[in-house]
Structures are given as C-alpha cells and as structure tokens.
Amino acid sequence: MLDFNLIAQSGAARAGEFSTAHGNIKTPVFMPVGTQATVKALTPEELEAAGAQIILGNTYHLYLRPGTDIIGRFDGLHRFMHWDRPILTDSGGFQVFSLAKLRKLTEKGYRFQSHIDGSKHMLSPETSIEVQIALNSDIIMCLDQCLEHPATREQAVAALELTSRWARRCKTFWEDRTGRRNHLFGIVQGGMFADLRQRSAEEITAIDFPGYAIGGLSVGEPKELMMEMAAHTLPLLPADRPRYIMGVGTPEDLVELVGLGADMFDCVMPTRNARNGQLFTEQGTINICNARFRDDTGPVDPACDCYTCRHYSLAYLRHLYMAREILAYRLNTIHNVHYYVNLVKAMREAIMAGTFKAFKDAFYAKRGKIEPAWF
C-alpha cells in the first residue's frame, strides 16, 4: 500500500509525503490539469520550473485520441509526453457524463458515443483501470457514477451504491493485473447529503485503497454547501492515506480545504482562466484586458518570481492579450500555474512551522477580505 507519511499538522491542516514510481509527492499538492497529455500552452520544462510535482491526465480523452495502442508504443504517458514526474489519471466517468453525445448507464458501465466521431464504446470499471494501466499512471482512479446538482436523495443513494460496487470491481481488476504496482484511489460520493457521504466513506474505506478522493463537489452547488460536505467527509477518511478533493477550485477554496484536512487538488482554473485573461495574485484576481493596465510598467504580481513576472510588464501582457497573440496564453498560464503551485507550497511551509492560522489570516488580509464563516 501507499506509504503516506504525515509529517506535521497545524490545526486540521496536514503536511505529508508519499512516494510513487516517478518520484515523491509532498502534500498539500496542486496538480495542473493535462487532460490530453499536455497542460495547455506549457512545456514539461516550464511545468518543472513552476514547481509542479505531479500532473493530471484523462482516461476518456486519451482512450479516444490518440488511443492506448499509440501511447503503449512509448510504455505509457511519461515518455509519450516527455514528463518524468508522477501522473494521476482520472477514470473518464465525468467526461462520459458531460461530453459524450449519447450515453447509457448500466450495471456494467457507461455505454456512450464519442464526442469526436460518434463511435460507440463501453467504459466499465475494468476498462477504465485497463486504460489507466496502459497509460502507466502513478495514481489511478476508480470509475464512479457522477451526479448532477441538484440531485434527489434517491438519485444520490443509487449513485453511491453503484460507485461502491464499481469500486470493488476496480480493486479486484487492479490487483489481478498490476500486483499493486501503482496506487489506486477510491472515490466517495453521496451528493449533498451528509449521512450519505458518511455511508459512502464507510463503504469505500472498508474496501481499503491506497488513497481516497472526494468526488461530486464543485458541481454547481452553493459554496457553503460544498464546504459543509467537505468538512463532514474529510475526517471520515483514514489519517494515514492521502485525501484528494477532485476538481477544486479557487485559491480561496484551496486555503479553506487545506484547513479542513485535504491534501491533493486539481482544477482547470489556472490554465483556463489564463487563456481568458484572468491572472491570480496575492491581492486577488485581475483581468488583463482592463484599460488601467494599458501603460502599467510593473509585473503582474511584485511578490511573484515566475518567468512572466520577472521579464514582462502588465502593459505588454495586455497588449499581447488584446492582439490575441499566442504568447499571451503562454505567459499568462506560466504565471497562473506558478501561483497555484506556490500557494500550496506556502501552505505546506506554514503547516510545518505550526502557523497555518496566521498564514490564512494574512492570505485574506492581502486580498482585503474577511475570512468567510462557513459554519
């Protein structure tokens, strides 16, 4: 099983470390999203320069294009995309749920038509694990049933039960095919019902996975409800395993969720928002198209030491973005990924020093905000 070392705590916030075949991961950690074997606009060298420890790929997209037959020629994603650090792949279930032209959910799995060419496929728990094994991911995810928000209690119960059954099939297939060569994470569901979250956590942890994820958050629910579900669920997960909140979120989300005991995060926000002209700073977010930056000779964030902030002015970045130059997307993305990676790095340092509460207070003070009272 995964050897997760809990090194320090500051309140509920945790600093830990665990190893994979392609390197150690220090938590808390943010994983840039490389859906199709690339973090959009960045080279692997730029990701390394930003301090990224691990990136995320996607089973659905890579299964459809270019296919595991192609990636298999390179013995997996690492050599295919020239990235020699750890990779986590998600199961593909959410993408089938959100992208496939036609889909049908059965006990066997998801039957769907490709959003690319309409071809028909079946994504079962076994297929999902088989594809992720072919990708040679360091961390692979169980196939689960995704829920829309809002969902009824009956829908949440049905999804919870199917997710548990699929989790057992995933683990059996993973053990038979890999001998536990990599790390398989189980996923907790349960919708926005605290008692169902508890039931799901009990069922998934009883299966005994190397790590655990909380799915079904940040799917359109109010922020207060997301935090309530996370606060209720995180303490139910084993303290000696990594805890991963899937698909979250804003810088404020990360700070709050680390404070509740979460260890791992992924989100498209730093890369997607960069392409839309939104940049993250210690003082909050800025929109580079704003006219006030037209003649600003300063960097995006004076406190940032990323390549973009060391070499380019806000005026130049605005010019590039308004002209729709490709370099705008690259420089914006370099900055945003650097910001996210270094935000969790700073949180880890504060946890190690036992000063996470002071870090959190300073984080909100720099933004001119009052720390939200969720509960």
Side-chain angles (χ1 to χ4, degrees), residues 60 63-64 96 100-104 110-124 127:
Y60 170 88
Y63 162 72
L64 292 178
V96 171
K101 294 179 179 179
L102 295 172
R103 63 183 184 274
K104 182 178 181 181
Y110 291 103
R111 191 174 300 280
F112 69 95
Q113 284 186 262
S114 164
H115 73 288
I116 299 170
D117 60 11
S119 56
K120 296 179 180 179
H121 303 270
M122 166 60 77
L123 183 69
S124 68
T127 303

Side-chain angles (χ1 to χ4, degrees), residues 1-7 14-31 53-55 86-88 137-141 182-185 210-212 239-244 262-265 348:
M1 299 299 286
L2 182 151
D3 185 18
F4 178 76
N5 296 311
L6 184 58
I7 297 170
R14 298 150 38 105
E17 185 172 3
F18 63 94
S19 61
T20 74
H22 290 90
N24 293 344
I25 297 171
K26 296 180 179 180
T27 63
V29 63
F30 177 79
M31 300 178 284
Q53 302 181 65
I54 175 174
I55 61 172
I87 295 174
L88 179 148
S137 314
D138 297 275
I139 300 173
I140 65 180
M141 303 302 298
N182 43 23
H183 304 310
L184 175 65
F185 281 26
Y212 297 95
D240 62 347
R241 310 285 168 88
R243 302 165 175 173
Y244 169 25
D263 304 309
M264 301 172 66
F265 307 91
R348 177 183 170 85

Side-chain angles (χ1 to χ4, degrees), residues 40 58 100 119 174 180 245 255 268 286 296 310 325 328:
K40 293 187 188 302
N58 181 259
S119 56
W174 167 67
R180 302 189 176 202
I245 306 281
V255 171
V268 298
I286 63 172
D296 195 321
R310 292 198 317 269
E325 285 288 340

